[in-house]
Amino acid sequence: MTTHYFEHPLNEKTRIYLRVEALLHQLDVSAKFSDDLQHLNFFRALFDLLEIFEQIQLKSELAKDIEKQRQTYRNWLNFDGVDQNTLQEILQEVDQVHSQLMAAERFGQRLKEDRFLSAIRQRFNLPGGACCFDLPALHHWLHLSNQEKQADASNWMESLGALSNALQLWLKLTRETGRFITQQAHNGFYQSDAEEANILRLNIPMQYGVYPMISGHKNRFAIKFIEFKSGQAFAGDVAFELAVCC
């Protein structure tokens, strides 16, 4: 059965984490510069990340959340029924990632100090602003060899390594706290309580032709399914899988 996978954050910080994860993925994919327009995706993702770094102290927030996860896993040490070998491996990974995060420079600092990036950032988001007459420095860079461009991209992305590792670990451990359970949305509507939840994960069969509109917060949420073709609320029942991740 073909399904539509969907994630929804239940607080603003997790919303930012998911956006940063998506931007880091865009960087990773577009950094190969496999076609003539991939540089647009790469630089837009890079500059979007810089905007986020300027709005929130992402390093300190992520460090606190990683530390909270570490304390949670430490509380499971020596508990009967818990695989202690697996737990120790998780704790070692958390300790390593946390240490790397604390030792890292402020996110985006090296990127903001880069002369080339600073020269093109201000005009890059103008409508059609990536033309050669708007950004002659970028136009020159685009004529470098693919090897040179990929080396530059690797250097810029290297400064985001601690962020990427910490965020991937936090999201991985958070997603693993919830397991998918089949639920039924009657007349296209479902609601439930949640205790300190961060992310909702849904698997929705494509056969219904619907997508979810979700509202709520860490303790309660509601899901309304919308018919894709009409844009109206779906009147039928929807059987879907839901995981509530804390």
Side-chain angles (χ1 to χ4, degrees):
M1 179 187 300
T2 303
T3 60
H4 168 207
Y5 175 70
F6 191 91
E7 283 191 336
H8 185 84
L10 290 175
N11 55 67
E12 185 59 28
K13 185 163 57 177
T14 304
R15 187 184 304 274
I16 292 172
Y17 286 172
L18 291 176
R19 286 174 177 160
V20 171
E21 179 191 40
L23 290 170
L24 289 171
H25 179 66
Q26 288 179 37
L27 282 180
D28 186 57
V29 172
S30 58
K32 299 177 179 61
F33 304 118
S34 56
D35 62 57
D36 292 340
L37 296 179
Q38 283 293 350
H39 70 280
L40 294 175
N41 293 329
F42 179 86
F43 287 116
R44 285 196 180 111
L46 194 65
F47 296 149
D48 282 351
L49 281 172
L50 285 177
E51 289 288 336
I52 291 175
F53 297 156
E54 292 169 356
Q55 295 172 11
I56 181 175
Q57 296 295 323
L58 195 60
K59 178 181 175 180
S60 60
E61 293 297 328
L62 191 52
K64 287 188 290 187
D65 286 336
I66 292 289
E67 176 62 27
K68 184 178 179 180
Q69 284 183 329
R70 177 161 60 182
Q71 293 302 322
T72 298
Y73 283 100
R74 281 181 174 173
N75 291 336
W76 292 350
L77 288 171
N78 302 317
F79 264 51
D80 292 339
V82 175
D83 187 331
Q84 295 298 311
N85 290 331
T86 300
L87 183 57
Q88 288 290 354
E89 291 176 0
I90 293 173
L91 282 170
Q92 288 178 7
E93 185 177 7
V94 171
D95 289 342
Q96 181 180 5
V97 164
H98 188 269
S99 296
Q100 292 174 347
L101 184 62
M102 297 306 295
E105 63 186 20
R106 183 175 179 178
F107 295 156
Q109 187 62 38
R110 196 191 312 178
L111 300 176
K112 290 178 68 175
E113 295 172 353
D114 186 281
R115 182 185 58 80
F116 171 69
L117 295 179
S118 297
I120 69 173
R121 182 184 177 190
Q122 288 186 338
R123 299 186 65 83
F124 197 85
N125 286 325
L126 289 174
C131 295
C132 61
F133 52 84
D134 284 309
L135 294 173
L138 175 62
H139 188 65
H140 174 84
W141 185 85
L142 291 174
H143 285 77
L144 299 177
S145 69
N146 212 46
Q147 184 177 5
E148 290 176 288
K149 289 185 289 188
Q150 288 178 352
D152 284 338
S154 296
N155 181 53
W156 295 324
M157 293 169 63
E158 183 183 6
S159 68
L160 303 175
L163 163 65
S164 180
N165 292 337
L167 185 61
Q168 286 181 18
L169 179 61
W170 187 86
L171 287 170
K172 173 179 176 289
L173 295 178
T174 298
R175 286 168 173 140
E176 288 177 351
T177 63
R179 63 187 183 91
F180 283 105
I181 298 175
T182 300
Q183 305 289 357
Q184 190 85 5
H186 297 290
N187 298 320
F189 183 77
Y190 178 87
Q191 63 180 348
S192 181
D193 296 327
E195 185 176 348
E196 298 294 320
N198 287 303
I199 302 174
L200 299 180
R201 306 174 71 198
L202 293 77
N203 283 322
I204 308 162
M206 289 293 291
Q207 68 189 52
Y208 294 108
V210 298
Y211 59 89
M213 295 291 291
I214 302 175
S215 60
H217 50 76
K218 61 184 179 180
N219 294 319
R220 187 167 181 80
F221 62 90
I223 305 172
K224 179 187 292 186
F225 287 97
I226 306 298
E227 189 174 18
F228 175 73
K229 289 185 177 181
S230 69
Q232 303 298 314
F234 187 66
D237 293 345
V238 179
F240 66 103
E241 292 183 328
L242 173 68
V244 181
C245 307
C246 301

